[in-house]
Structure formats: C-alpha cells, structure tokens
Amino acid sequence: MKKEKKIWFTGLSRTLWIPKSIEGWSATVAVISALFLIFKINNISDDIPFNLSQHWPMLLELAVVVVALYSVSKGHVDKKY
C-alpha cells in the first residue's frame, strides 16, 4: 500500500503555486530568504547595469535555489491545471 504524500501547494498553473500547508509556507519563506541573501551577498542594486559576464555566478545561485525548491516540493503539488 502506497502512502499518499501531503499536499504543500495548490498549482493553479505551471507558474502559480499557492502554499496550502505549513511546509509549503516554510518552503516559500526559505526561497524568498535565499533570493534576498543572494542579492545582498552579490551586492546587486538598481544603479549597477546587468552584465552577464559579471553576474553569471548570481544566475547560477538563483538556478540552484529554483531546482532545490522544485526537487523538495515535487510530488507535494495538487495540480489544478
């Protein structure tokens, strides 16, 4: 007998997931905090123009955060789309 996974998010579309449980809210807060830290650590501000050759480490960090959220929450989304 396979145990049902707890639903963390309700997926309204591929890009819009609404947190439904404490685990979903925790993951959302963790990702927002990670994004804030990435921008603070890399000293990103509005007056610095974006340059791919200088900002590629930041893009890599952002990709790691997105992949981590996807892998942690995979199977915990109730897809409505």
Side-chain angles (χ1 to χ4, degrees):
M1 183 159 88
K2 187 176 180 181
K3 184 181 175 187
E4 290 290 321
K5 289 188 176 183
K6 184 175 181 180
I7 300 299
W8 293 2
F9 296 96
T10 299
L12 302 177
S13 71
R14 287 195 162 290
T15 58
L16 180 62
W17 291 4
I18 307 291
K20 189 174 181 178
S21 69
I22 192 70
E23 293 89 351
W25 283 106
S26 298
T28 302
V29 168
V31 167
I32 290 171
S33 299
L35 295 177
F36 178 75
L37 284 173
I38 288 170
F39 284 108
K40 279 300 204 187
I41 290 170
N42 290 302
N43 200 18
I44 303 300
S45 64
D46 291 336
D47 58 343
I48 299 173
F50 183 80
N51 185 350
L52 188 59
S53 65
Q54 292 177 342
H55 292 104
W56 71 266
M58 181 197 64
L59 295 175
L60 183 62
E61 294 165 356
L62 291 172
V64 167
V65 169
V66 169
V67 169
L69 174 65
Y70 179 77
S71 66
V72 167
S73 63
K74 186 175 181 179
H76 296 283
V77 179
D78 180 19
K79 297 177 182 176
K80 301 284 185 188
Y81 54 93

